[in-house]
Amino acid sequence: MILYDFVPAPNPRRVRIFLHEKGIEVPTKQIDIMKGEHKKKEYKKASPLSQVPTLELDDGTFITESIAICRYFEALHPEPSLMGDNAEEIAIIEMWQRRFELLLMIGIANTYRHGHPAMAALEDQIKEWSEASRPRVIKMMYWFDKQIEDKEFICLNKFTIADISALVCFDFAKWPKIEIPSDCINLLNYYERLNSRPSAKA
Amino acid sequence: MILYDFVPAPNPRRVRIFLHEKGIEVPTKQIDIMKGEHKKKEYKKASPLSQVPTLELDDGTFITESIAICRYFEALHPEPSLMGDNAEEIAIIEMWQRRFELLLMIGIANTYRHGHPAMAALEDQIKEWSEASRPRVIKMMYWFDKQIEDKEFICLNKFTIADISALVCFDFAKWPKIEIPSDCINLLNYYERLNSRPSAKA
């Protein structure tokens, strides 16, 4: 088994944090996106759309999409559970994971990919979309700030993959220079709690 | 239990098709998005971000996000399995579900939400993003056309939630007047196969 990884990027980081929390070690191989290694023919055999991360199984099957890779390990190593132990937990965690991903992370990605000079070579940039995405991200941060009030974790009073997605979002937001607003005290404290876990360095 | 639903919209349709394939009946209540019912205070108690669908459980818990709702029913009623029976299946189905969702459905949504006059009242439209999203959707359709060649279903040789997301994408694409290109024969045949299942009318 091998995990095709790129240390600086947010999606492979989700998988690395997940594996660390599970206590699973998987050999990795770096695919340098900034050098265009994800676009090379050899890597496209593993990941036809050049996505990183990709997990190669021992039978030669390739799994792309960070959350799909996490689900693979959750099914093989259910403890500690990061995606829920029963129907209601599974649904609530998925809801929160998707809220971070669809309502925050995609907005951050659009702000960055369509606005940052470093991405001009990789993306047919629509600057208007970057500019429109930025305030939407900040608005969502205020919403999440209210949701995390009086809570240690975003749902079910325990650490889950939804918190992993949250942490990855907050650090990814720094790429297009979006910081958690200074008056989002709950969110800032939440970020610190997540960032102080050993897995945050994975 | 009650499913807050809006018949014309793609995300609640995913849940209805899923339930039909499982043989599960759940009482529904219509939330008319075009009349702004999803923005009303009463509905926001169920779905704070005005998303439809929402599932209300008997204990008063609300689950938003169509895929989270599907996971709830998959866990309670595992047969027929639509999300995988073992780690590898679960991962492969999730990978394909996400490919349709993140690489096709979001592009369709952006083309529609940011371009269509009917959405002007609901969305702060960025026309440039609608125009840039349209050719990306069509490019992805050509990619999916190659992936479905010689396959009846998109993965694992069986019907899964990934196929449900595919069907919903193809019909949703008609909203911003994107049709499957006439030379995407594999994809057109795939659409016909999915659309001829009884669940397609759910």
Side-chain angles (χ1 to χ4, degrees):
Chain A
M1 189 184 288
I2 192 160
L3 179 67
Y4 297 91
D5 182 25
F6 181 49
V7 164
N11 279 317
R13 188 178 177 218
R14 286 210 277 195
V15 176
R16 291 196 312 273
I17 296 173
F18 190 90
L19 291 173
H20 189 284
E21 293 278 351
K22 290 265 185 197
I24 302 169
E25 288 189 27
V26 177
T28 61
K29 184 174 185 224
Q30 295 302 304
I31 302 295
D32 191 328
I33 293 172
M34 298 315 287
K35 287 185 182 160
E37 288 178 6
H38 61 313
K39 300 274 188 187
K40 287 189 179 161
K41 202 172 166 184
E42 189 60 29
Y43 183 64
K44 283 194 163 189
K45 287 180 197 164
S47 179
L49 293 163
S50 294
Q51 294 167 303
V52 182
T54 298
L55 181 69
E56 181 174 353
L57 305 183
D58 290 338
D59 69 1
T61 300
F62 295 108
I63 311 288
T64 67
E65 292 291 341
S66 57
I67 297 295
I69 294 171
C70 292
R71 283 196 194 288
Y72 177 78
F73 289 111
E74 178 83 359
L76 279 188
H77 305 271
E79 296 298 331
S81 164
L82 296 174
M83 293 174 141
D85 283 326
N86 58 57
E88 191 167 326
E89 279 195 11
I90 289 169
I92 288 171
I93 295 168
E94 175 77 326
M95 172 177 72
W96 282 104
Q97 198 297 114
R98 287 172 63 92
R99 282 176 172 171
F100 280 116
E101 179 165 56
L102 300 174
L103 305 171
L104 198 61
M105 194 168 187
I106 288 181
I108 296 163
N110 285 328
T111 309
Y112 181 68
R113 293 188 68 92
H114 288 280
H116 199 281
M119 293 304 286
L122 289 173
E123 180 72 58
D124 188 10
Q125 293 183 319
I126 310 294
K127 298 278 183 183
E128 293 86 351
W129 185 232
S130 173
E131 286 158 24
S133 297
R134 182 180 296 274
R136 290 168 193 232
V137 168
I138 293 165
K139 188 177 169 191
M140 281 311 301
M141 283 183 169
Y142 279 96
W143 185 79
F144 281 110
D145 181 66
K146 269 186 262 173
Q147 307 308 309
I148 194 69
E149 192 178 359
D150 299 327
K151 287 197 271 182
E152 183 174 356
F153 303 109
I154 198 64
C155 62
L156 297 173
N157 207 24
K158 63 179 177 180
F159 183 84
T160 68
I161 193 169
D163 300 301
I164 296 177
S165 290
L167 173 61
V168 167
C169 278
F170 301 142
D171 282 327
F172 184 34
K174 296 171 186 170
W175 294 25
K177 302 195 192 305
I178 300 174
E179 298 282 346
I180 298 172
S182 59
D183 53 343
C184 288
I185 305 294
N186 307 312
L187 207 60
L188 285 164
N189 288 337
Y190 175 48
Y191 172 64
E192 278 311 306
R193 286 196 298 279
L194 298 176
N195 204 33
S196 65
R197 295 173 76 89
S199 63
K201 292 179 185 66
Chain B
M1 187 184 289
I2 191 161
L3 179 68
Y4 297 91
D5 181 27
F6 180 50
V7 164
N11 279 316
R13 187 178 177 219
R14 287 210 277 195
V15 176
R16 292 196 312 273
I17 296 174
F18 190 90
L19 291 172
H20 189 282
E21 292 278 350
K22 291 263 185 198
I24 302 168
E25 288 190 28
V26 177
T28 61
K29 183 173 186 228
Q30 296 301 305
I31 302 295
D32 191 327
I33 293 174
M34 299 315 287
K35 285 185 184 161
E37 288 178 4
H38 61 312
K39 301 272 189 190
K40 286 190 179 162
K41 202 173 166 182
E42 189 60 30
Y43 183 64
K44 282 192 164 190
K45 287 181 196 163
S47 179
L49 293 164
S50 295
Q51 295 167 303
V52 183
T54 298
L55 181 69
E56 181 174 355
L57 305 184
D58 290 338
D59 69 2
T61 300
F62 295 107
I63 311 288
T64 66
E65 293 291 341
S66 57
I67 297 294
I69 295 170
C70 292
R71 283 196 193 287
Y72 178 78
F73 289 111
E74 178 82 359
L76 280 188
H77 305 271
E79 298 296 332
S81 163
L82 296 174
M83 293 175 143
D85 283 327
N86 57 57
E88 191 166 327
E89 279 193 12
I90 288 168
I92 289 171
I93 293 167
E94 175 76 326
M95 171 176 73
W96 281 105
Q97 197 297 115
R98 286 172 64 90
R99 283 176 172 171
F100 279 115
E101 179 165 54
L102 300 175
L103 305 171
L104 198 61
M105 194 167 186
I106 288 182
I108 296 163
N110 284 328
T111 308
Y112 180 68
R113 292 188 70 91
H114 288 280
H116 199 281
M119 293 303 286
L122 289 174
E123 181 72 57
D124 187 10
Q125 293 183 318
I126 310 293
K127 298 277 181 180
E128 294 86 351
W129 185 232
S130 173
E131 285 158 25
S133 296
R134 181 180 297 272
R136 290 167 193 233
V137 167
I138 294 166
K139 188 179 169 188
M140 281 311 302
M141 284 184 167
Y142 277 97
W143 185 78
F144 280 111
D145 181 67
K146 270 187 262 174
Q147 306 309 310
I148 195 69
E149 191 178 358
D150 299 327
K151 286 197 270 184
E152 183 173 357
F153 304 109
I154 198 63
C155 63
L156 298 173
N157 208 25
K158 64 179 177 181
F159 183 84
T160 69
I161 192 169
D163 300 301
I164 295 176
S165 290
L167 173 61
V168 167
C169 278
F170 301 142
D171 281 327
F172 183 33
K174 294 172 187 171
W175 293 25
K177 301 194 193 306
I178 300 174
E179 297 282 345
I180 298 172
S182 59
D183 53 344
C184 288
I185 304 296
N186 307 312
L187 208 60
L188 285 164
N189 288 337
Y190 175 48
Y191 172 63
E192 278 311 306
R193 285 195 299 279
L194 298 176
N195 203 32
S196 64
R197 296 174 75 89
S199 63
K201 292 181 185 64

